[in-house]
């Protein structure tokens, strides 16, 4: 993968390097007569399998038991998992680079997203969901309760080897190479206490800086200090904003009354991360113990992907609701 070979100066967080040309073979570009090329139009044209109506996973609470072998299992509280899958499914449909990422690197979640895209929801797919989630919790009396913190689910269970940030230490003496994978980036909350979502870009830079600097400055094999440290962003980034909700932390900074909830409209659509451009796809919302995803399509339309929605469909979010404040513990961006 090309991004691993990027030789970035780990101190130079703001230093621009040339963008590496993506080698995605999108559909040939048709240039409309009256359109001037703008980045967003390029993205929309390159969407690999754009479809306006995406399927929606239904929460296990509203379904009959899943069947694995001869065992029937009632799968409960699947909203953390469903919110992540819906977010990845959208990126898979809307962004050529992410489509390529999902199809090229194989794991259970990528297979699941592809199956959901190809065939929609089915009892077979819900059984598959149960197989994946079986490892996250214990089955008690035929019930698998999947209630879990969404960041923990990603880090420990469903995407432990997919980096939001990857830090590499190469020893110049013994050639030993160590790669650290950070599946979810914990955000430094200070810029968000100060400036709400306007501080997001700064919070992201500070967090990367923190992760990179706390990685040891010696070879873990020969203990020599003649090392080269590099870092790169992943195909996607999960940003954990939970620290920005902690009133006690804000109070310690003298900002006890700062806002802890945000509107969808104020979430930055673009982020500069590890010298690459990322686009916002999804905000995972938490309300009354339940997660759902507010997703921004490549067309700019906002959609609510809520597995407890009574019509069991993706819903459009109205302009007014885009301005509603929500608890937003996790953001999902993809590299373009
Ligand atoms: Zn060494
Ligand atoms: Zn829920």
């Amino acid at each position: 993968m090309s991004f691993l070979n990027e030789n970035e100066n780990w101190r130079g967080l703001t230093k621009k390097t040339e963008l590496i040309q993506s080698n995605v073979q999108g559909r040939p570009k048709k240039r409309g007569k009256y359109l001037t090329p703008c980045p967003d139009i390029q993205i929309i044209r390159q969407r690999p399998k754009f479809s306006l109506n995406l399927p929606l996973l239904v929460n296990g609470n509203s379904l009959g038991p899943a069947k694995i072998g001869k065992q029937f299992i009632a799968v409960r509280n699947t909203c953390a998992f469903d919110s992540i899958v819906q977010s990845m499914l959208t990126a898979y449909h809307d962004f050529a680079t992410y489509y390529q990422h999902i199809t090229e690197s194989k794991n259970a979640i990528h297979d699941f997203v592809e199956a959901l895209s190809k065939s929609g929801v089915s009892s077979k797919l819900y059984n598959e969901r149960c197989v994946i989630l079986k490892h996250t919790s214990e089955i008690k009396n035929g019930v698998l309760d999947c209630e879990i913190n969404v960041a923990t689910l990603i880090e420990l269970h469903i995407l432990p080897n997919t980096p939001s940030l990857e830090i590499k230490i190469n020893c110049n003496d013994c050639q030993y190479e160590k790669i650290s994978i950070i599946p979810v980036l914990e955000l430094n909350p200070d810029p968000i206490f100060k400036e709400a979502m306007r501080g997001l870009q700064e919070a992201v830079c500070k967090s990367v800086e923190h992760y990179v600097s706390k990685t040891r400055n010696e070879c873990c094999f020969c203990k020599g200090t003649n090392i080269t440290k590099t870092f790169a962003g992943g195909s996607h980034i999960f940003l954990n904003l939970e620290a920005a909700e902690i009133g006690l932390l804000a109070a310690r900074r003298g900002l006890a009354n700062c806002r802890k909830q945000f509107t969808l409209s104020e979430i930055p659509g673009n982020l500069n991360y590890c010298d690459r451009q990322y686009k916002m796809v999804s905000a995972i919302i938490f309300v009354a113990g339940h997660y759902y995803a507010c997703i921004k399509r490549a067309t700019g339309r906002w959609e609510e992907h809520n597995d407890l929605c009574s019509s069991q469909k993706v819903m459009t979010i109205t302009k007014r609701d885009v301005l509603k404040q929500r608890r937003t513990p996790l953001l999902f961006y993809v590299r373009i």
Side-chain angles (χ1 to χ4, degrees):
M1 301 248 278
S2 62
F3 73 95
L4 294 182
N5 302 326
E6 264 182 286
N7 216 358
E8 288 170 296
N9 173 1
W10 66 275
R11 284 178 201 276
L13 288 167
T14 53
K15 204 183 124 222
K16 297 268 185 300
T17 56
E18 248 185 288
L19 286 181
I20 287 178
Q21 198 62 41
S22 150
N23 55 2
V24 179
Q25 299 294 319
R27 263 183 288 158
K29 282 177 229 150
K30 287 186 230 130
R31 182 153 299 168
K33 230 181 190 174
Y34 305 104
L35 292 175
T36 46
C38 88
D40 284 350
I41 287 171
Q42 295 283 346
I43 288 163
I44 291 168
R45 285 218 186 93
Q46 287 173 9
R47 281 174 310 194
K49 4 178 2 106
F50 185 75
S51 98
L52 206 53
N53 301 311
L54 296 178
L56 180 73
L57 291 167
V58 170
N59 196 300
N61 297 5
S62 315
L63 298 169
K67 195 177 176 219
I68 299 178
K70 283 181 180 159
Q71 199 184 5
F72 287 94
I73 303 166
V75 186
R76 296 285 171 260
N77 302 318
T78 54
C79 60
F81 178 85
D82 296 342
S83 303
I84 296 307
V85 168
Q86 293 297 140
S87 304
M88 292 172 72
L89 174 78
T90 308
Y92 171 82
H93 275 263
D94 284 9
F95 297 96
T97 44
Y98 203 69
Y99 174 82
Q100 191 190 20
H101 164 68
I102 296 276
T103 49
E104 283 180 359
S105 55
K106 288 285 159 209
N107 63 42
I109 294 302
H110 290 180
D111 290 347
F112 190 90
V113 167
E114 284 189 290
L116 176 60
S117 163
K118 202 171 151 208
S119 315
V121 293
S122 63
S123 52
K124 185 168 166 253
L125 196 72
Y126 288 131
N127 292 343
E128 192 53 44
R129 176 173 68 183
C130 178
V131 170
I132 295 171
L133 288 172
K134 215 163 53 133
H135 307 288
T136 66
S137 177
E138 225 182 304
I139 300 168
K140 283 183 202 146
N141 304 320
V143 176
L144 177 69
D145 187 345
C146 306
E147 191 178 326
I148 188 169
N149 176 285
V150 70
T152 309
L153 176 71
I154 297 166
E155 280 164 351
L156 298 187
H157 301 293
I158 62 175
L159 291 165
N161 301 314
T162 307
S164 282
L165 178 67
E166 183 174 84
I167 303 169
K168 222 194 240 189
I169 293 175
N170 285 90
C171 178
N172 300 322
D173 293 332
C174 76
Q175 315 305 324
Y176 189 82
E177 177 184 88
K178 181 168 190 290
I179 298 175
S180 309
I181 288 175
I182 294 116
V184 179
L185 203 78
E186 311 272 346
L187 274 195
N188 179 322
D190 290 342
I192 295 172
F193 290 148
K194 273 188 219 135
E195 299 187 87
M197 279 293 140
R198 281 193 313 276
L200 189 73
Q201 176 70 67
E202 193 194 336
V204 166
C205 290
K206 280 196 160 162
S207 305
V208 172
E209 211 168 345
H210 174 74
Y211 276 102
V212 173
S213 66
K214 83 173 183 189
T215 313
R216 50 204 291 177
N217 286 310
E218 63 172 34
C219 167
C220 30
F221 188 73
C222 75
K223 309 289 173 206
T225 51
N226 182 14
I227 54 139
T228 308
K229 219 187 232 188
T230 52
F231 66 90
S235 295
H236 62 221
I237 20 175
F238 285 108
L239 299 174
N240 186 352
L241 273 86
E242 275 171 13
E245 292 184 343
I246 304 173
L248 204 65
L249 264 182
R252 258 187 230 156
R253 309 289 194 271
L255 296 161
N257 296 320
C258 70
R259 212 148 41 89
K260 318 266 184 335
Q261 300 195 0
F262 311 101
T263 69
L264 298 176
S265 64
E266 68 183 321
I267 300 170
N270 297 287
L271 273 184
N272 199 332
Y273 179 75
C274 300
D275 289 333
R276 298 290 298 264
Q277 277 297 114
Y278 286 75
K279 267 218 168 295
M280 171 13 239
V281 175
S282 166
I284 309 295
I285 308 298
F286 190 64
V287 61
H290 175 63
Y291 292 108
Y292 64 93
C294 288
I295 293 182
K296 194 178 188 185
R297 302 298 304 270
T299 54
R301 180 171 92 168
W302 281 97
E303 295 176 347
E304 183 174 310
H305 293 228
N306 188 337
D307 66 0
L308 285 179
C309 168
S310 54
S311 61
Q312 306 197 337
K313 273 195 319 215
V314 170
M315 305 300 277
T316 301
I317 301 176
T318 62
K319 286 213 170 81
R320 216 176 71 187
D321 281 350
V322 168
L323 301 172
K324 205 170 91 182
Q325 292 195 13
R326 303 166 198 251
R327 240 179 111 178
T328 312
L330 193 79
L331 294 173
F332 174 65
Y333 284 75
V334 297
R335 191 173 61 204
I336 53 167

